[in-house]
Amino acid sequence: MKNFPVPTKEQVSPANQTIFENLNGMVGFVPNLYAIFGHSDTALSDYLALQNRKSSVRAKEREVINLVVSQVNNCSYCLSAHTQLAKMNGFTDEQILDIRRANISFDVKLDALAKLVKSATENRGHVRSEVLESFFAAGYTEANLIDVVIVIGDKIITNYLHALTDVPVDWPLAPELETATV
């Protein structure tokens, strides 16, 4: 596999240098996976615009989506990053493992979301009608469904980018799930 170097601030375009400075100010460092976007003059700003768009999906729901998609796609980088972000959003370690399994006993609505996300990710958008019906019965709307798909797409982008570049994980590593199936 080609070695994908993680660019430094000095190695990216002036526009990306500004974004690197902003990320460093917000997060305290430039995560390696974001830095990889810096190889392109426009991809980092495009990705951040997608990630930070207004949405009907709340922060906790977004982390459920991020964790489930990253588990299905077996992305150690995104699982590690979003485990930390999920903790910042109030989830416990055990709840995070339940989310990754898409088997959430502590919140019926989040469980319906996780099951929809898992099925949609595994089946490229095709889900059984009862999974979709459960999602709507839990209180989600058509607008929520569209925003969920946007977040799934967002996470697939970074999952695939990590799979293709294999940049080092610069977050505390997420624990492995005990069970081999998700």
Side-chain angles (χ1 to χ4, degrees), residues 34 46-53 62 82 154-155 158:
Y34 283 6
D46 291 346
Y47 177 72
L48 290 173
L50 172 66
Q51 188 178 57
N52 295 315
R53 66 182 275 284
R62 184 180 194 92
H82 288 288
D154 158 355
K155 198 45 43 203
T158 54

Side-chain angles (χ1 to χ4, degrees), residues 61-147:
E61 292 166 327
R62 184 180 194 92
E63 289 314 315
V64 168
I65 299 165
N66 290 332
L67 286 164
V68 172
V69 172
S70 297
Q71 185 66 49
V72 169
N73 289 327
N74 196 29
C75 181
S76 61
Y77 191 98
C78 294
L79 283 170
S80 297
H82 288 288
T83 291
Q84 297 308 307
L85 294 170
K87 287 178 185 180
M88 291 169 53
N89 277 285
F91 290 116
T92 67
D93 289 334
E94 190 56 43
Q95 288 173 332
I96 292 168
L97 294 175
D98 288 348
I99 291 166
R100 289 172 54 192
R101 290 182 187 103
N103 188 17
I104 301 173
S105 60
F106 61 90
D107 188 303
V108 175
K109 188 172 183 180
L110 292 180
D111 187 58
L113 172 64
K115 286 179 173 33
L116 173 86
V117 170
K118 180 178 185 248
S119 183
T121 305
E122 289 177 337
N123 299 301
R124 298 184 203 130
H126 300 277
V127 300
R128 293 185 331 271
S129 60
E130 55 270 12
V131 173
L132 193 56
E133 288 168 13
S134 292
F135 175 80
F136 289 125
Y140 288 104
T141 66
E142 289 83 1
N144 294 141
L145 179 65
I146 292 165
D147 287 337

Side-chain angles (χ1 to χ4, degrees), residues 140-174:
Y140 288 104
T141 66
E142 289 83 1
N144 294 141
L145 179 65
I146 292 165
D147 287 337
V148 166
V149 171
I150 296 287
V151 178
I152 291 171
D154 158 355
K155 198 45 43 203
I156 287 173
I157 290 168
T158 54
N159 290 174
Y160 284 17
L161 188 60
H162 184 256
L164 291 166
T165 63
D166 198 28
V167 297
V169 177
D170 49 1
W171 297 88
L173 285 176

